[in-house]
Amino acid sequence: SIMTRAGQGEGRDRGIFGLVADVVSSAPEFENAIEAVLGERLQYVIVESHSQGVEAIDYLKTAAEGRASLIPLSRLRGDAEAAGPGPSHPGVVAACLDVVRFDPSYDKVARFLLGEALIVRDLPAALEIWQQEGGRRTLVTLDGEVLDPSGVVTGGPLEGEGHGALQRRREVQELEDVVRAFEAEFALAQERHRTLQARLLQLEAALKSLD
């Protein structure tokens, strides 16, 4: 696949940076909302430019790999999809951009995908805000219901290829942090062991000299 090739060292050098799901994350309480509002776009591939996109599409056709959607990083506007400050409604939880984490180099991607999206408490609040604003932005509830600017409501269980991607990525990061902590503890234990061994040799030498 494209991402397999990217993982084999061909990726960043050839302008293929990874899936959207690989470069954005959020706190656990917002994962449902972020996954719901991004939907299938979690599986979009970020590429440097349209030329890398053309190359990737040619590869997909040649290898019969199926379809993929590609986001050309260099062609995105930095202010894309910005919708201004959120409404003063008690049901507003946060702007999506305020709760996602991403490397600054992907700022344009995050703004393009989430710049106008707002997390709200529940669907009744979403409907009130949609009426109040006249459909200016995408609204997503904490449970993952989505109300788009045209008024279309999407709900039900989250499923599909991207479902759970943010949680899995977070869990992998947490496990990597645990492994690093254990490695640091192990290195300290090894150093302490070496120090005690050296001290033991000194004491044995001193004991022999006393004998």
Side-chain angles (χ1 to χ4, degrees):
S1 70
I2 293 175
M3 295 318 303
T4 302
R5 294 172 78 210
Q8 292 172 343
E10 300 179 37
R12 191 164 276 276
D13 291 341
R14 299 187 65 158
I16 300 173
F17 299 123
L19 301 177
V20 170
D22 293 332
V23 303
V24 300
S25 62
S26 75
E29 62 266 30
F30 300 121
E31 284 172 348
N32 274 344
I34 299 302
E35 280 194 8
V37 76
L38 287 175
E40 66 177 18
R41 296 179 299 175
L42 281 166
Q43 300 303 307
Y44 283 13
V45 181
I46 302 168
V47 296
E48 173 61 32
S49 67
H50 278 133
S51 61
Q52 278 80 22
V54 169
E55 180 185 333
I57 295 297
D58 285 342
Y59 169 77
L60 289 172
K61 288 194 290 188
T62 303
E65 287 273 349
R67 296 175 71 81
S69 297
L70 306 137
I71 300 178
L73 187 59
S74 64
R75 303 304 298 171
L76 297 178
R77 295 195 347 250
D79 60 347
E81 302 296 330
S88 56
H89 187 283
V92 173
V93 176
C96 286
L97 274 178
D98 291 339
V99 302
V100 293
R101 296 184 291 267
F102 50 88
D103 187 283
S105 61
Y106 298 113
D107 178 74
K108 287 197 293 185
V109 174
R111 290 186 178 281
F112 171 73
L113 295 172
L114 297 168
E116 47 78 54
L118 201 65
I119 299 173
V120 298
R121 184 183 61 243
D122 51 30
L123 198 50
L127 292 167
E128 287 179 10
I129 294 166
W130 184 85
Q131 296 255 3
Q132 175 184 324
E133 287 205 318
R136 288 183 58 213
R137 67 182 80 229
T138 299
L139 303 168
V140 59
T141 71
L142 290 167
D143 287 335
E145 293 111 355
V146 180
L147 177 59
D148 77 12
S150 65
V152 174
V153 179
T154 305
L158 291 170
E159 54 187 18
E161 192 175 353
H163 176 48
L166 298 185
Q167 179 182 343
R168 289 192 295 274
R169 184 170 181 270
R170 172 173 52 82
E171 289 172 348
V172 167
Q173 183 63 55
E174 289 170 352
L175 288 172
E176 287 175 349
D177 291 342
V178 169
V179 168
R180 278 193 290 270
F182 278 131
E183 286 175 343
E185 286 181 22
F186 180 66
L188 286 172
Q190 281 187 313
E191 183 61 33
R192 179 169 169 76
H193 177 66
R194 283 192 291 269
T195 301
L196 290 173
Q197 275 189 319
R199 179 62 177 156
L200 180 61
L201 289 173
Q202 288 176 346
L203 291 173
E204 287 177 343
L207 185 58
K208 281 181 183 177
S209 67
L210 288 172
D211 287 343

